Every structure is written in C-alpha cells, then in structure tokens.
Amino acid sequence: MVNIEQFAKRLNILMDYYEISAALLAEKIEVQRSSISHILSGRNKPSLEFVLKILKEFPEVELYWLLNGVGHFPKQVEIKESAPTLFSTTKEPETKKEEPKAITKSIVSDHLNQEIERIVIFYRNGNFKNYLP
C-alpha cells in the first residue's frame, strides 16, 4: 500500500530536482493541475495512470522509489558487459556502476617492457577492484 504522505514528499523531491512547479509538472505529464494539488495535499492517492505518466516523462525516476521510497533517485544506471574484457576475471557478464577511465597510450607505452604484477581500479564511491594477471 502506498503511503500518500510519503508519496507526496517524493513527488516534491522530483519537482525540486527538475526545478518545476506543480503546474508545470501537470502540463508535462498531461494531467489537470488539481490532480497534482490533491495528491500533494494528501486528499487523493495517485492512480496507476498518474504513476506511469511520471515514469514515462522522467526516465530517471525508479518505480519502487516513487511508490515506496526503495531505491535511488535519480536512477543509477548499471552498465552490463556483454563479453569479457582485458580486465575481466570471469567469463560471465558482470555488472558495474562506473566505467574506469581509459589508460592513455603514453602510460601504456612507458610500461610495455615491464611485467604487470596487478591492476587496481579505484572508483569515486570508495570501492575498488583488484585484478591479477
């Protein structure tokens, strides 16, 4: 069951993020302004059609975040590899949140005649991956 008060808070977060008013939101998702007002005030619950219109107009919104507050906003896109790469440790596709920055040719050419002991990739979120040859 959707908590209408919490849904209204998330709808306000969405409007703040996109810097739009309730009237502009209503225009974007093609509903009456009163529909937005009634949902924000807690008078009405959002319909399935209303939720689907939001998801269609704002692809960064996750369904479960909008309905239940579970997940992230804006949506964090995961990149799935379809084939193993030079740095893969398994043959199965792996999911990762961020792509490492490309190694430049000058760095590679400086180290071509040296044996690699390991490669460590540090991500901005504090995670890292350790690869052994």
Side-chain angles (χ1 to χ4, degrees):
M1 194 69 144
V2 175
N3 180 327
I4 187 64
E5 188 176 298
Q6 294 300 315
F7 183 89
K9 285 181 182 180
R10 288 188 291 277
L11 197 56
N12 275 314
I13 291 170
L14 180 133
M15 291 187 306
D16 289 344
Y17 179 82
Y18 291 105
E19 298 178 349
I20 58 175
S21 65
L24 188 54
L25 175 62
E27 185 179 315
K28 283 185 168 288
I29 65 171
E30 299 176 348
V31 298
Q32 293 183 2
R33 283 186 261 164
S34 61
S35 297
I36 303 290
S37 176
H38 291 215
I39 290 170
L40 291 174
S41 70
R43 179 178 173 208
N44 293 350
K45 290 186 176 185
S47 67
L48 176 59
E49 182 181 9
F50 180 88
V51 170
L52 292 175
K53 285 182 175 187
I54 288 177
L55 296 176
K56 182 179 179 186
E57 183 64 31
F58 304 102
E60 297 85 7
V61 177
E62 287 185 359
L63 173 64
Y64 291 112
W65 175 83
L66 184 61
L67 295 178
N68 301 318
V70 176
H72 302 280
F73 177 74
K75 186 186 298 185
Q76 295 179 348
V77 178
E78 293 185 357
I79 301 168
K80 293 185 179 182
E81 294 180 3
S82 59
T85 65
L86 174 66
F87 301 112
S88 293
T89 56
T90 63
K91 300 251 184 218
E92 295 180 18
E94 85 180 37
T95 302
K96 55 186 171 185
K97 297 263 183 198
E98 298 178 34
E99 285 288 324
K101 294 192 178 183
I103 300 173
T104 62
K105 286 184 179 181
S106 63
I107 293 173
V108 173
S109 63
D110 288 346
H111 300 288
L112 280 179
N113 295 327
Q114 297 181 21
E115 188 175 327
I116 296 174
E117 178 183 338
R118 68 181 172 169
I119 297 172
V120 181
I121 299 175
F122 295 93
Y123 296 95
R124 289 187 180 160
N125 66 2
N127 292 337
F128 67 92
K129 287 192 179 180
N130 204 1
Y131 298 96
L132 301 174

